[in-house]
Amino acid sequence: MHAMDALLKWIDKSAIMHLGTSSPGGIPLSNRVVGGYADRTDQQLTVFIPTKSSERVLLNLEQNKKVAVLLIDPEAYHSLLVKGLYLGMTDCSEEDYRIQDLYFLRMRRHSFPEKYYQINRKPALSLRIQITEAFDQTPGPDAGKRIVLTTEAQ
């Protein structure tokens, strides 16, 4: 299986996602993600964050384009870290909000407390990320192992 196909499946199963940025001075900032999707053809990841909590994230991304997204599948006890470069953002579309609804349904299925997914997520921003690397973050012997995303790099 092509590794980007695996990433696409990861995003469809993830019920916890966090975006990591840092200031130019290296001060980290984590922000909740409220859904996303990947595109196999251009190796891009799109994630959604509530506009209300975006000010510091966008300031960091303006000054430092490096970004990371942690994806967790609580059913399989697996996690994946995707690193990349911030490409830009737009306001979420109605289709983006439908993708967010599916993300929150997964959270409900995993019995997350209601307050966790009843956040003020509208309006939200859609952030595009060019994927550069991915790492297995599941505890065990392969934790931290790099995952090759393209067949050319293999």
Side-chain angles (χ1 to χ4, degrees), residues 22 60-68 84-88 129:
S22 69
N60 278 355
L61 292 173
E62 210 175 272
Q63 300 171 359
N64 178 3
K65 304 279 188 219
K66 291 181 181 180
V67 63
L85 298 173
Y86 169 69
L87 298 174
I129 299 163

Side-chain angles (χ1 to χ4, degrees), residues 117-136:
Y117 54 82
Q118 291 299 326
I119 64 170
N120 185 3
R121 58 187 167 111
K122 287 186 179 183
L125 299 173
S126 174
L127 307 181
R128 289 181 324 285
I129 299 163
Q130 183 67 51
I131 300 168
T132 57
E133 323 177 78
F135 299 89
D136 184 345

Side-chain angles (χ1 to χ4, degrees), residues 10 23 29-30 33 69 77 109 132 139 151:
W10 257 100
S23 70
L29 176 66
S30 176
V33 170
V69 179
Y77 302 101
R109 191 179 76 228
T132 57
T151 52

Side-chain angles (χ1 to χ4, degrees), residues 72-109:
I72 300 171
D73 175 2
E75 189 171 294
Y77 302 101
H78 289 139
S79 55
L80 177 76
L81 180 69
V82 175
K83 292 185 177 184
L85 298 173
Y86 169 69
L87 298 174
M89 65 100 188
T90 59
D91 292 331
C92 281
S93 67
E94 286 308 310
E95 178 60 25
D96 294 338
Y97 287 119
R98 282 191 282 280
I99 293 169
Q100 288 179 42
D101 290 340
L102 295 173
Y103 176 76
F104 282 88
L105 282 174
R106 284 194 300 276
M107 293 178 80
R108 274 196 183 117
R109 191 179 76 228

